[in-house]
């Protein structure tokens, strides 16, 4: 009975009908001769509908080429061919299937077992997505660790480096004052002064993206800041490059650190000028109130609700490709020639603007220029302007007495000379304990204390806390190589008047001292 061909046919038909996998007999022309019920269950087509179409009509367009290649191997007589593709369902969807196909050349037929692998493909896609996400998290963690390590290194060297800069800039200022503007050496001293400020900018760049340089936020009229920056920067505009200003007349203000925003504008201006490569072109500097109805809607999700100012700088220079654009905020990445740039500029810009609660976005295309957008949160507080500095002592009046504390003797000697040059009486101590003893001996004998933050015996905050216990109303200013949010917050709790970055402008420090002393007199 086992040799009865009728029974064999019955067994085959029964197996064909009951198989969980899809079974198919197709001819070399591409049409289906026979399909089992699993096809109808999987794709929703009826048997009659499937027998009227060719496989080409069901295969996803993106899989046609690979499917044709598999067919060529079958027609060439390869014993078995395995491949995958997507086939269309009756409802318009697509399902992934895996083919095990066997050719019978004599019959011009193809016999195939087809398995639905849609769930497997979805699982694989999800696994890839999870792996990509994990890879991104790992990269972000690695980048964060790099920045943290660099920030720690920056914080470690900032104190000593800022002392050196303070010494260079302070002595240059004293020498310029001694010689006068007409002296032959004045120009060289000015160059020393400029070089020292550039070195200070480099330190601030490192500290900015290392998050060790907290901004001192005050209400600031943005248009006034932009106009001040233009007075300085317009002189560096190359010949053949035109400048267009689009500045809103609206007097809006932001909580900002003027010095840091000036640094941001300086950096963006330098980048824009260098993008021209000596060729003629056009720069556009703009400032306007920004809301979510502007063309920057795509950036809105990255910012909290509230009013913002948009400051932009657009150049018609060489522009950047997509690969470069993705890396512009990476520390030490630069498109300039070796020795022409540190790669810290835009990293610092990003760090500073982020510390202001804002956002930086860059649009660029090769040969079509670059636009940098800065979005800064606005405030309804009244914008304040710096009070005019009064740097002379009234005739017949006893000079104000300033106590300066710094473990670096060179810096202390310099600062005492600068304070005395301003008509003030200045006393210096390298030892914080000695400074405390001096205040204990004469609590009313000092009008202001200026102290370094990093000192071996105790830091500036510890000294301020002890000074408060001796005389609560004695103004204290702390100088620090790096000004972190934590240092500023702790200082505010103690009643410290200001925390100032070391290595800055001598005029800025003189102005601060004079304003604090003038406030006491008013």
């Amino acid at each position: 009975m086992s040799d009865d061909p009728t029974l064999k046919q019955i067994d085959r038909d029964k197996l064909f009908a009951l198989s969980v996998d899809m079974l198919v007999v197709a001819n070399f022309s591409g049409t289906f001769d026979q399909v089992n019920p699993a096809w109808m269950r999987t794709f929703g087509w009826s048997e009659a509908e499937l027998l009227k179409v060719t496989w080409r009509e069901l295969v996803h367009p993106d899989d046609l080429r690979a499917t044709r290649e598999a067919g060529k191997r079958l027609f060439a007589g390869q014993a078995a061919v395995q491949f995958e593709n997507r086939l269309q369902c009756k409802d318009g969807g697509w399902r992934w299937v895996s083919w095990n196909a066997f050719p019978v050349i004599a019959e011009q037929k193809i016999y195939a077992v087809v398995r639905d692998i849609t769930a497997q493909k979805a699982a694989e896609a999800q696994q890839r997505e999870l792996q990509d996400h994990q890879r991104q998290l790992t990269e972000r963690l690695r980048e964060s660790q790099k920045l943290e390590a660099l920030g720690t290194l920056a914080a470690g060297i900032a104190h000593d480096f800022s002392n050196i800069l303070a010494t260079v800039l302070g002595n240059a200022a004293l020498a310029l004052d001694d010689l006068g503007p007409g002296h032959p050496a004045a120009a060289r001293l000015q160059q020393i002064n400029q070089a020292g400020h550039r070195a200070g900018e480099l330190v601030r760049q490192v500290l900015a993206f290392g998050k060790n340089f907290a901004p001192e936020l005050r209400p600031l009229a943005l248009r006034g800041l932009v106009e001040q920056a233009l007075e300085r920067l317009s002189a560096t505009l190359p010949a053949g490059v035109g400048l267009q200003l689009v500045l809103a007349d609206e007097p809006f203000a932001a909580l900002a650190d003027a010095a840091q925003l000036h640094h941001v504008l300086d950096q963006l201006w330098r980048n824009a000028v260098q993008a021209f490569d000596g060729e003629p072109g056009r720069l556009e500097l703009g400032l306007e109130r920004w809301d979510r109805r502007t063309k920057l809607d795509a950036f809105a999700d990255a910012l909290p609700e509230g009013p913002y100012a948009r400051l932009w700088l657009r150049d018609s220079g060489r522009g950047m490709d997509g690969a470069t654009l993705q890396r512009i905020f990476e520390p030490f990445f630069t498109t300039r020639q070796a020795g022409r740039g540190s790669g810290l500029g835009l990293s610092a810009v990003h760090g500073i603007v982020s510390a202001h609660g804002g956002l930086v976005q860059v649009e660029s295309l090769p040969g079509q220029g670059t636009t940098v957008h800065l979005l800064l949160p606005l405030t309804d507080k009244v914008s304040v302007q710096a009070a005019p500095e009064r740097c002379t002592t009234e005739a017949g009046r006893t000079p104000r007495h300033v106590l300066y504390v710094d473990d670096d003797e060179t810096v202390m000697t310099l600062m005492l000379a600068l304070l005395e040059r301003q008509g003030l009486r200045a006393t210096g101590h390298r030892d914080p304990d000695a400074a405390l003893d001096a205040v204990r001996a004469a609590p009313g004998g000092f009008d202001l204390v200026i102290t370094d933050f990093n000192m071996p015996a105790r830091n500036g905050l510890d000294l301020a806390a002890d000074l408060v216990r001796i005389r609560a109303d004695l103004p204290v200013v702390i100088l620090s190589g790096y000004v972190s949010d934590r240092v500023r917050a702790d200082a505010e709790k103690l009643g410290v008047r200001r925390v100032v970055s070391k290595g800055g402008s001598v005029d800025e420090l003189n102005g601060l001292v004079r304003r604090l002393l003038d406030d006491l007199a008013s």
Side-chain angles (χ1 to χ4, degrees):
M1 292 179 61
S2 59
D3 296 329
D4 187 334
T6 304
L7 291 177
K8 290 182 179 179
Q9 181 65 41
I10 292 173
D11 291 343
R12 193 184 75 172
D13 291 344
K14 186 176 181 180
L15 177 63
F16 204 76
L18 295 178
S19 175
V20 175
D21 290 327
M22 291 170 280
L23 305 177
V24 61
V25 179
N27 57 53
F28 280 10
S29 66
T31 58
F32 298 124
D33 283 354
Q34 187 179 5
V35 293
N36 70 336
W39 280 86
M40 282 68 86
R41 292 194 301 268
T42 303
F43 293 101
W45 302 104
S46 69
E47 182 178 9
E49 288 171 325
L50 286 170
L51 296 179
K52 289 180 181 178
V53 299
T54 66
W55 60 266
R56 294 178 184 84
E57 297 174 70
L58 297 179
V59 175
H60 192 285
D62 293 344
D63 302 334
L64 276 172
R65 182 174 180 179
T67 305
R68 288 194 188 99
E69 293 298 322
K72 289 178 181 178
R73 297 199 300 274
L74 285 168
F75 303 153
Q78 184 171 329
V81 175
Q82 296 180 342
F83 62 97
E84 297 174 355
N85 61 16
R86 282 163 288 182
L87 299 181
Q88 189 171 34
C89 302
K90 189 170 184 177
D91 63 6
W94 300 90
R95 299 194 71 82
W96 276 98
V97 294
S98 173
W99 293 73
N100 272 320
F102 308 87
V104 180
I105 303 299
E107 298 179 12
Q108 293 288 288
K109 302 285 187 183
I110 296 172
Y111 293 81
V113 179
V114 185
R115 179 163 295 174
D116 184 358
I117 59 169
T118 304
Q120 175 185 332
K121 284 288 187 179
E124 291 173 354
Q126 184 178 24
Q127 180 66 24
R128 285 195 299 272
E129 185 176 347
L130 289 173
Q131 290 174 345
D132 288 344
H133 182 62
Q134 182 64 40
R135 189 179 302 110
Q136 291 174 3
L137 290 177
T138 301
E139 290 174 357
R140 289 175 186 172
L141 177 60
R142 187 180 298 114
E143 189 66 23
S144 176
Q145 290 171 337
K146 284 167 54 181
L147 290 177
E148 183 178 356
L150 187 56
T152 302
L153 175 64
I157 67 172
H159 178 257
D160 291 340
F161 194 70
S162 294
N163 281 345
I164 296 170
L165 280 179
T167 303
V168 171
L169 293 173
N171 280 295
L174 288 172
L176 277 169
D177 195 31
D178 290 338
L179 298 178
H183 195 279
R188 297 187 183 280
L189 288 170
Q190 287 285 10
Q191 291 178 354
I192 292 173
N193 188 59
Q194 292 172 5
H197 281 296
R198 285 199 299 271
E201 286 182 7
L202 186 59
V203 173
R204 284 191 289 273
Q205 287 175 359
V206 175
L207 294 174
F209 73 76
K211 299 181 179 178
N212 286 307
F213 197 77
E216 186 173 357
L217 304 180
R218 294 170 174 242
L220 179 69
L222 291 177
R223 174 159 180 154
L225 180 139
V226 172
E227 290 173 340
Q228 289 175 9
L230 276 174
E231 290 180 6
R232 181 180 69 259
L233 296 174
S234 57
T236 65
L237 194 67
V241 175
L243 175 63
Q244 180 180 0
L245 300 180
V246 188
L247 304 179
D249 292 328
E250 184 181 0
F252 45 75
L255 286 175
D257 185 311
Q260 291 197 28
L261 287 190
H262 273 292
H263 173 74
V264 166
L265 289 173
D266 288 354
Q267 182 64 50
L268 297 182
W269 184 276
R270 280 198 298 269
N271 288 355
V273 167
Q274 289 170 354
F276 292 108
D277 289 329
E279 298 294 327
R282 181 176 56 83
L283 270 180
E284 178 183 289
L285 179 62
L287 176 67
E288 67 179 8
R289 182 180 289 268
W290 178 84
D291 58 42
R292 294 170 187 266
R293 294 172 296 178
T294 70
K295 68 177 183 178
L296 295 178
D297 282 352
F299 308 150
D301 292 340
L303 292 169
E305 293 287 345
Y308 289 85
R310 179 171 76 100
L311 176 65
W312 74 91
L313 186 63
R314 178 177 294 117
D315 67 69
S316 61
R318 60 178 178 269
M320 294 176 283
D321 58 25
T324 302
L325 197 59
Q326 289 180 351
R327 300 189 61 192
I328 56 175
F329 296 124
E330 292 181 14
F332 304 116
F333 175 75
T334 179
T335 58
R336 302 179 197 170
Q337 297 177 359
R340 298 289 299 276
S342 65
L344 297 177
L346 285 178
S347 296
V349 167
H350 187 275
I352 290 171
V353 175
S354 297
H356 280 71
L359 181 70
V360 185
Q361 292 289 352
V362 182
E363 300 172 314
S364 187
L365 287 172
Q368 298 185 33
T370 300
T371 303
V372 181
H373 305 272
L374 305 182
L375 298 178
L376 297 170
L378 294 179
T379 179
D380 55 3
K381 295 182 180 180
V382 177
S383 177
V384 295
Q385 301 293 333
E389 296 177 5
R390 290 170 284 174
C391 297
T392 58
T393 303
E394 297 177 10
R397 178 178 171 182
T398 302
R400 295 285 185 173
H401 193 181
V402 179
L403 174 62
Y404 185 82
V405 187
D406 197 314
D407 63 300
D408 189 307
E409 185 173 5
T410 303
V411 175
M412 185 188 69
T413 302
L414 169 67
M415 291 302 299
L416 294 178
L418 289 171
L419 291 168
E420 290 170 354
R421 187 68 61 94
Q422 292 299 310
L424 302 169
R425 179 186 174 196
T427 298
H429 284 287
R430 294 180 59 192
D431 183 359
D433 289 330
L436 280 173
D437 290 340
V439 176
R440 284 194 191 97
F446 297 96
D447 299 291
L448 175 66
V449 177
I450 303 175
T451 176
D452 184 28
F453 177 71
N454 285 304
M455 294 181 289
R458 67 180 76 204
N459 65 37
L461 290 175
D462 295 332
L463 178 59
D466 290 335
L467 289 170
V468 167
R469 285 190 283 269
I470 299 172
R471 180 183 157 193
D473 66 334
L474 180 59
V476 178
V477 172
I478 291 178
L479 297 182
S480 177
Y482 63 97
V483 183
S484 68
D485 288 326
R486 182 171 180 176
V487 170
R488 199 182 295 282
D490 290 345
E492 186 176 354
K493 291 177 183 177
L494 291 172
V496 171
R497 297 297 179 91
R498 291 284 294 276
V499 180
V500 182
S501 174
K502 262 189 172 183
S505 166
V506 172
D507 290 337
E508 290 175 6
L509 181 60
N510 286 338
L512 170 63
V513 170
R514 182 55 58 188
R515 286 193 296 274
L516 290 173
L517 295 176
D518 286 344
D519 288 343
L520 294 175
S522 60

